[in-house]
Structure formats: structure tokens, C-alpha cells
Amino acid sequence: MELKEFKTQFDQDEYIFREGDNGDCAYIIESGIVEVSVQKDDRKLVIATLGQGDLIGEMAIIDELPRTATARALEATRLIAIPHDYIHQKVECSDPAVRFFLQIVLERYRDIHARLMHVFEGVVTPGEAEYQELYATTTNVVKNLMTQYLELQDRILSAVNTAGDEDEARGHDDQTAWHAKEMLESERALTNALTNGEFQLQYQPIVDLKAQKIVGCEALVRWQHPQQGTILPAEFIAQAENIGLIVELGYWIVREACRFQRRLSQAGGEALFVAINLSGRQFDDSELISKLETIMREEQVSPELIKYEITETLLMATPQLANEFLHKIKATGAKLAIDDFGTGYSSFSYLHQFPFDTLKIDRTFISTMIPNRKSQQIVKSLVHLSHDLNMDVVAEGIETSFEEELLLELGAEYGQGFHYARPLDADAFIEHLETA
Ligand code: C2E
Ligand code: CA
Ligand code: CA
């Protein structure tokens, strides 16, 4: 069975399939543009617009149920059809490439799910009766999708497990299959971690270098894995971004960090800010600003004591869009910091356009500052630049008192690093405040 037998062509506006049709194949878009939508009464919601190399109709080859969406060619479009039997046959032959294919299918599935939630949440305004009904329907659709998805994942995992055993029996070292299996398993664990309450925030003090006192902290997420123990963000944030989980996890982080800020305020003493990292993918959520506002209000924190950290790399990926978001975040009253400065495209010339309050100098410059005069020069100019643009400076990753002294000389106001404290859990941070 070869794929090229199944090439098909569609004219502009022609339907490739409709919601409710029987589906026995998926399609790869060879050329053209396809709109995928769902319909409710007279409302059409476009859930994806896909082009060359994208996959559509993949659900049909997984669950063999009627189509859950409508696909229409927006221009003359050529597709390669992938019949259900083809995939099935290949899975049974335990071809690792096909397992990867399925993995991509799963990611798309989750993406669609996330978009569905997002779009329908967008149209629901509390109190509008007809939208409430729409919302209930959507929620059910999404729930069903999730149940199917989890069942499907079980089936794939057991298929891959069996294939793995067979490979072993045949004496094949099938690395690819195991890799695919591990990825699926870890994605699943990550998805469940949020519902199981396995994420935790730690807080690392940010210190006024001159006054030698704590002025705030940065919230850093950890995954307390039931078997593997503490997992650092470097090992799961990228994956959480890939599977879209970062949006939901991000809101959890903001709420948790706001609660901590409130706890700090109630403990008395001087007001301390809490800095929260935002990742690029969170900016895809059009509700981001209103949700940040809602969370800060519900948790009763003063927005000026929350500082959102955005990396330079994220900023420079889409400067204009990022700038819009930044101004909206500023309008909520919260503060903004540019994170890991100096590691990205070094956006010096753009910097003045963005409404940052703080520039965080990446620790790579701080740790090489003593032996390397070039780093020292860079730090010096970054401090000057920041001050010229009315920003204060946080030097990251201070590990020694030599670095601290040098930074003071170079004019940096604030510092963060193991020299002061490692990231601490909430109770330990409060204890540290009392003893520091
Ligand atoms: P980052 O924002 O640059 O965070 C600072 C990282 O430097 C933290 O690592 C912290 O533990 C580490 N660090 C602090 N002081 C020192 C020091 O003196 N020496 C050394 N060697 N390291 C130091 P962590 O917690 O592993 O976080 C790594 C990155 O993960 C963060 O880098 C940030 O980009 C991301 N991240 C952490 N928490 C979150 C979060 O809640 N949301 C998002 N989106 N990303 C997060
Ligand atoms: Ca940060
Ligand atoms: Ca940083």
C-alpha cells in the first residue's frame, strides 16, 4: 500500500469533509490552504487554517468515529490521503516512524483541544443564556475528546510496549521506539502533574546591594515528581510549551505567586515584590491580560508588587506584538523586567521602545566578569544603558562577594544568586526573611 495512490485534488471552497461524515482517512496537505471549522447553530468557529505539510482529519484514523470538524479548501488544494488501514498496518508492523507519526497526531489533537477551549471560552459571556448552552455543549465535546484521547494514548502506549518487547525478542535495539514511548509517557505525566498538584513554587531573594536587604524575590517553578523527586524547569518548561500546558500552568504559577505576595504583605515589614516568569507561548492566549488582572484582583495583591519577567529572546521573536502586550501589562499596574539580557539578539536599539522597569543581566556575564574584562565592560555598559533608559538593574547569578563588590562599583542596584540564597520554598523564604 503506497501513499501516492491516494493523491486527491480539491477546488477553492470545496469541502474535503464535513462534521458528521464517516472518516476513514487523514490527509497531508501537499499544496493549498485548508480551513478546519466547527459549527454550532449559525456560528462557525474556525479552529485551524492549515497549509503545506500539515495534517488534517487525523482523528478518523485513530478513533474511526464520524468527523468532529469540517474541512474546506480555501484555494485549489492538493492532498495526500492516508487511509486508516495503512496506519494500522504500519503500527502492527511496529515501524518506529509510524509511531512518531502518531505522536505528531496526538500533539495536533491536543492543540485542537486547547484551541477549542480557548475559542469557546472567548465567545462565552456570563449571563448570556444562548452562550451558556453553547458553552455546555463545548465543554462536553472537549471532555469527550479528552477521554478519547487518554484511551487512545493508553492504546498507543501498550502497542509500543508490545512492539518494544517484540523488538527485544527479535534482538533489535529499537532506540527510536523507546524514545517515542518515553516522550509519550512523560507528556502524559506532565499533563497529569497539574491536576495532581505536583507543581511547586520556590522563591529566590532579590537583594538591594547597597543596603544589603531583601527587596523582593523571583518565583521559580519546580515539579515534585512522585518517583523522580524535584525536577527543574529546564527539563519540563519547553515540553509544557510544546503541548500547550504552559498556558494553564502559567495561570497556576501567577495565582500561587500572588498568594505568596499576599502572605508576605500580611507578614508585615517592608513591601516585597514577587517576580513571575512569563513564557512566549502564554502570549498566544488572547485572554492573557484580563486573566492576569483577574488573578491579581482575586488574590488581592497590589499589582505594583508583581513584576513579570520576559526574556529578551521572546521579545525579539515578535517585537511589535510583544510590545503591545507589554504596554497592556503595564496598564494593569504591574511591573516589567527584561530577563536574561545579553543572551539573545542584544536588542539594544529597540530597548527604549519597551516599557521595562528592570533589566536583568544574565548570569553568564556575571560569572565571567572577574576573569574576563570584556564581560566586565559589558556589565558596565548594560548598567549605564539601563539607567539612561530609567530602568534599574538586577545582576543574576551572584555567587561570590567579589562579584557583589564589583557590581556595586559598576553601579548595579540589585542582585540575585546563590551568594544570598538558593531558591527556597515559601515557608523557608519567610524564615530566611526573619533571620537575614
Ligand atoms: P531564570 O529566569 O534566568 O531563573 C534564574 C535561574 O538561575 C534559576 O534556575 C535559579 O535557580 C538559577 N540561579 C539563581 N542564582 C544562581 C546562581 O548564583 N548560580 C547559578 N548557577 N544559578 C543560579 P531554575 O529555577 O532552574 O530556572 C531556570 C529557568 O527556567 C529560569 O531561568 C526561567 O527561564 C525558567 N523558569 C523558572 N520558573 C519558571 C516559571 O514559573 N515560568 C516560566 N515560564 N519559566 C520558568
Ligand atoms: Ca527569570
Ligand atoms: Ca534570568
Side-chain angles (χ1 to χ4, degrees):
M1 200 182 279
E2 283 200 21
L3 282 185
K4 63 178 185 311
E5 291 170 30
F6 298 96
K7 271 195 185 176
T8 46
Q9 190 142 5
F10 291 84
D11 294 332
Q12 184 177 357
D13 288 332
E14 199 179 339
Y15 285 91
I16 299 160
F17 54 77
R18 292 173 196 259
E19 236 173 299
D21 284 356
N22 278 335
D24 52 4
C25 60
Y27 301 92
I28 297 172
I29 304 172
E30 199 179 41
S31 65
I33 300 176
V34 175
E35 174 194 81
V36 182
S37 63
V38 289
Q39 187 90 19
K40 170 71 188 168
D41 304 328
D42 59 342
R43 294 178 74 91
K44 182 175 93 173
L45 291 166
V46 176
I47 51 180
T49 309
L50 303 169
Q52 196 185 28
D54 276 322
L55 185 65
I56 53 167
E58 69 274 14
M59 286 313 302
I61 59 169
I62 297 168
D63 58 16
E64 298 168 76
L65 291 171
R67 303 281 191 195
T68 53
T70 298
R72 187 169 65 100
L74 292 183
E75 59 180 46
T77 294
R78 288 176 67 80
L79 304 171
I80 301 170
I82 314 166
H84 166 267
D85 292 348
Y86 175 84
I87 295 301
H88 231 67
Q89 196 186 51
K90 289 287 184 187
V91 171
E92 278 164 19
C93 296
S94 74
D95 180 340
V98 175
R99 281 175 234 137
F100 270 126
F101 173 94
L102 277 173
Q103 193 192 328
I104 290 165
V105 168
L106 288 177
E107 275 168 20
R108 169 62 43 74
Y109 190 14
R110 252 185 278 204
D111 202 25
I112 288 180
H113 161 249
R115 278 165 199 254
L116 255 179
M117 282 301 271
H118 177 68
V119 170
F120 276 91
E121 268 172 21
V123 293
V124 173
T125 318
E128 293 184 46
E130 72 262 41
Y131 288 162
Q132 292 302 336
E133 192 209 336
L134 179 62
Y135 183 65
T137 317
T138 319
T139 313
N140 275 333
V141 170
V142 167
K143 260 195 207 149
N144 288 339
L145 281 174
M146 273 329 269
T147 315
Q148 284 172 26
Y149 164 70
L150 290 173
E151 278 171 14
L152 166 73
Q153 224 185 30
D154 275 336
R155 269 195 279 154
I156 291 178
L157 277 180
S158 71
V160 174
N161 269 326
T162 322
D165 291 343
E166 278 168 15
D167 283 336
E168 231 164 82
R170 287 198 303 265
H172 288 174
D173 182 15
D174 195 345
Q175 292 282 344
T176 332
W178 283 107
H179 181 61
K181 175 177 170 273
E182 268 170 21
M183 277 183 58
L184 280 172
E185 277 174 347
S186 80
E187 274 186 26
R188 175 118 190 226
L190 192 57
T191 311
N192 290 336
L194 192 58
T195 5
N196 296 345
E198 289 166 15
F199 291 107
Q200 183 216 1
L201 291 188
Q202 290 192 336
Y203 304 92
Q204 188 177 32
I206 295 174
V207 175
D208 180 324
L209 295 175
K210 217 182 257 166
Q212 289 287 304
K213 69 176 196 218
I214 296 172
V215 290
C217 60
E218 176 177 2
L220 296 159
V221 67
R222 273 89 184 90
W223 177 9
Q224 302 299 356
H225 193 285
Q227 280 87 41
Q228 294 168 37
T230 304
I231 303 181
L232 291 174
E235 291 191 46
F236 65 85
I237 289 286
Q239 199 176 25
E241 286 177 344
N242 285 338
I243 62 176
L245 182 75
I246 192 72
V247 175
E248 214 186 322
L249 173 60
Y251 291 128
W252 179 86
I253 291 169
V254 173
R255 191 173 291 280
E256 189 72 9
C258 285
R259 282 190 186 155
F260 184 63
Q261 202 300 314
R262 177 117 178 102
R263 195 175 155 194
L264 288 174
S265 295
Q266 284 167 342
E270 269 177 66
L272 301 184
F273 70 83
V274 177
I276 302 170
N277 292 285
L278 289 182
S279 97
R281 187 71 198 262
Q282 292 177 260
F283 286 81
D284 292 344
D285 182 5
S286 60
E287 312 261 286
L288 177 71
I289 308 297
S290 65
K291 285 198 181 153
L292 294 182
E293 247 176 341
T294 307
I295 296 173
M296 292 189 290
R297 192 182 54 243
E298 284 176 354
E299 298 306 327
Q300 303 177 345
V301 291
S302 315
E304 68 271 13
L305 293 174
I306 298 298
K307 189 183 275 189
Y308 294 102
E309 294 193 1
I310 285 113
T311 64
E312 186 190 11
T313 324
L314 156 62
L315 200 64
M316 296 321 293
T318 50
Q320 228 149 22
L321 190 73
N323 202 12
E324 251 172 62
F325 267 105
L326 295 183
H327 279 95
K328 286 180 186 159
I329 294 181
K330 274 296 277 188
T332 68
K335 304 279 189 214
L336 283 174
I338 182 163
D339 201 1
D340 301 344
F341 197 82
T343 58
Y345 300 85
S346 286
S347 38
F348 289 81
S349 52
Y350 289 81
L351 203 52
H352 69 279
Q353 301 174 12
F354 302 122
F356 287 107
D357 303 281
T358 300
L359 182 143
K360 296 189 82 170
I361 304 180
D362 193 70
R363 73 163 178 273
T364 46
F365 298 107
I366 309 303
S367 60
T368 51
M369 212 174 43
I370 305 273
N372 183 340
R373 281 201 63 83
K374 229 177 181 177
S375 294
Q376 209 178 111
Q377 278 306 323
I378 292 175
V379 173
K380 193 172 168 184
S381 16
L382 288 180
V383 172
H384 281 281
L385 174 77
S386 308
H387 292 169
D388 283 347
L389 297 174
N390 283 325
M391 292 184 284
D392 54 42
V393 171
V394 175
E396 295 190 301
I398 303 181
E399 293 187 354
T400 66
S401 46
F402 296 116
E403 289 163 351
E404 176 185 65
E405 275 162 34
L406 186 53
L407 284 160
L408 259 173
E409 253 173 59
L410 296 176
E413 290 90 345
Y414 305 106
Q416 177 181 354
F418 296 167
H419 176 59
Y420 306 101
R422 294 194 170 246
L424 303 162
D425 64 37
D427 291 339
F429 185 94
I430 298 216
E431 219 169 276
H432 177 78
L433 267 185
E434 285 158 5
T435 54

